[in-house]
Amino acid sequence: MGQRKPIMAANWKMHKTIQDIKVFFESFLQLVEGVDDREIVIAPSFIGLSDACRMTVGSKVQIAAQNMYFQEQGAYTGEISPTMLKSAGVDLVILGHSERRHIFGEDDSLIARKVRSAADHGMAAILCIGETLEEREAGLTEQVLSSQLLLGLALLESGHFASISIAYEPVWAIGTGRTASPEQIQDAHGFVRGTVENMAGEAVAQQIRILYGGSVKPGNVREIMSLEDVDGALVGGASLEPESFARIVKYE
Ligand code: PGA
């Protein structure tokens, strides 16, 4: 894994009220005190972002948004802008999650504009990519990953790559309890790094962090994190309980 500092990220999706978030941090912050060889990221829903930022002031925990729109303001009912996120203290955003793509119909060109907007606003972004089960079974995994990367990162200039991470999340492993095998994960991550190298050069490819997501749990995180091209985890279900996510963060 070289010099890449691991990112252990929680994606809470549409879970937790503001009260629930408070209860979580009351125990979680103590559980991860002293951890400084890895980055800890938590992505609550929009409604919890400001409070989560306040509750984690002075800690190592970074708060991320689960999505944003690419415009700064305007007639976009229901959307949240990068400037709004920054005003809440958030400078990291997850983009292109498979639930955004598959439930809410986001396509690569929209995601690309969001990725560029994050860079333009000095925000770090985690771009999520991943194949469906049908695509994997049809032998299309690499084709899907390369097209999601090429299109999703298409609007970036070379200086922007430093603030981008990639999350490889096979759609069939998300929330299903079915984790991809170590071989499948390493193959995909190696392929992603190679694709980034073709796009942006070797130095960028060596520093970019590639997270795995899809049924990561305390019991499998260690094996997954030991893989050469895995630089972090994006965790849904197993991040909701403080003890569970703390065990994931503190994997040995
Ligand atoms: P999961 O979700 O850990 O519940 O599979 C991961 C994700 O969607 O980011």
Side-chain angles (χ1 to χ4, degrees):
M1 212 160 61
Q3 299 307 305
R4 300 184 292 268
K5 189 173 186 179
I7 305 178
M8 309 309 284
N11 172 13
W12 281 350
K13 310 190 180 186
M14 200 172 74
H15 292 283
K16 292 196 191 291
T17 63
I18 292 170
Q19 288 73 20
D20 297 335
I21 294 174
K22 188 162 178 277
V23 170
F24 178 94
F25 281 121
E26 274 164 8
S27 55
F28 182 74
L29 292 181
Q30 290 178 4
L31 293 169
V32 297
E33 217 175 275
V35 173
D36 53 16
D37 58 346
R38 50 205 73 177
E39 290 179 22
I40 307 171
V41 171
I42 295 197
S45 69
F46 285 125
I47 197 87
L49 287 174
S50 295
D51 290 276
C53 285
R54 269 196 294 276
M55 290 172 203
T56 53
V57 166
S59 79
K60 298 261 166 54
V61 174
Q62 242 186 300
I63 300 301
Q66 298 174 15
N67 183 29
M68 68 174 198
Y69 198 53
F70 62 89
Q71 298 281 10
E72 287 190 353
Q73 58 180 348
Y76 306 105
T77 302
E79 293 295 318
I80 311 280
S81 77
T83 30
M84 291 171 183
L85 290 176
K86 293 200 79 173
S87 74
V90 176
D91 51 19
L92 172 61
V93 60
I94 297 171
L95 295 172
H97 188 277
S98 80
E99 287 145 20
R100 299 302 318 168
R101 294 175 189 263
H102 297 291
I103 303 174
F104 300 103
E106 292 197 11
D107 63 14
D108 288 304
S109 76
L110 174 61
I111 294 164
R113 281 183 284 180
K114 294 182 177 196
V115 170
R116 172 65 196 234
S117 176
D120 284 340
H121 290 87
M123 295 180 70
I126 300 173
L127 170 66
C128 302
I129 59 172
E131 81 288 359
T132 64
L133 188 57
E134 298 76 67
E135 289 163 343
R136 175 164 284 271
E137 286 174 346
L140 296 173
T141 299
E142 293 193 346
Q143 201 172 307
V144 169
L145 297 183
S146 77
S147 104
Q148 289 178 343
L149 279 173
L150 292 172
L151 296 171
L153 302 175
L155 303 179
L156 293 186
E157 287 159 26
S158 54
H160 292 144
F161 277 82
S163 59
I164 300 289
S165 305
I166 307 294
Y168 167 62
E169 299 202 300
V171 177
W172 48 274
I174 295 178
T176 58
R178 185 176 164 194
T179 317
S181 71
E183 292 73 22
Q184 288 171 326
I185 297 173
Q186 174 53 37
D187 284 353
H189 281 231
F191 179 78
V192 168
R193 201 174 302 285
T195 306
V196 171
E197 182 170 340
N198 291 338
M199 291 180 78
E202 196 189 347
V204 168
Q206 283 310 312
Q207 65 79 30
I208 201 164
R209 287 174 295 178
I210 308 172
L211 288 65
Y212 169 78
S215 299
V216 175
K217 306 178 222 34
N220 62 19
V221 62
R222 184 180 171 180
E223 183 178 32
I224 293 169
M225 290 302 300
S226 73
L227 300 169
E228 187 185 343
D229 284 299
V230 175
D231 311 311
L234 183 54
V235 188
S239 73
L240 294 171
E241 293 301 325
E243 293 75 20
S244 167
F245 190 52
R247 281 173 64 201
I248 291 172
V249 166
K250 297 200 283 187
Y251 78 92
E252 292 294 330

